[in-house]
Amino acid sequence: MPSKTVGTEVIDLNARAKQRRDALPKPTTYNLFDVEFTLPPIKALPFELQERVGDLDNTVAVLKDLLGEDKVKEMYAAGYQFSDIELIAEEWQRRSGVEPGESPASSGS
């Protein structure tokens, strides 16, 4: 009987990935200063966005990617301040089941 070589077994993660995705919270709609917007749970973000989430230098870019440039312009027109963006980020993390300061890309849950 031939022996197995390390690394030759293929583990199919599709079913487990689907279970995790199905268990994620639903997108949440927020209203701040009469601007309504919907954000998906952080752990459901496309992989290319996750490395930028939590980096305050990229907050506007992430919001533009998720909400579109027109919605971000609506936020500008409503007079959003940096503290408002922090509030959105905190509530988004809470609603997403991510602890403040936790990196979504490194979360083991």
Side-chain angles (χ1 to χ4, degrees), residues 17-107:
K18 183 177 180 339
Q19 286 174 338
R20 281 187 173 203
R21 288 178 179 202
D22 290 348
L24 290 172
K26 299 295 179 223
T28 301
T29 300
Y30 303 88
N31 181 311
L32 181 60
F33 304 126
D34 295 324
V35 177
E36 243 183 49
F37 53 96
T38 302
L39 294 171
I42 291 171
K43 291 182 182 182
L45 292 178
F47 185 57
E48 64 269 14
L49 284 183
Q50 288 212 359
E51 65 188 26
R52 295 191 341 230
V53 172
D55 180 350
L56 294 176
D57 293 334
N58 288 322
T59 302
V60 174
V62 170
L63 288 175
K64 282 180 181 177
D65 287 344
L66 292 174
L67 303 174
E69 189 131 353
D70 289 343
K71 185 57 73 174
V72 172
K73 285 180 182 176
E74 193 178 338
M75 292 171 161
Y76 289 159
Y80 280 28
Q81 297 178 344
F82 187 76
S83 64
D84 301 325
I85 299 303
E86 285 180 327
L87 174 63
I88 291 167
E90 289 166 7
E91 187 63 21
W92 186 25
Q93 285 179 327
R94 191 177 76 73
R95 294 282 180 161
S96 293
V98 175
E99 292 298 318
E102 177 185 350
S103 170
S106 67
S107 172

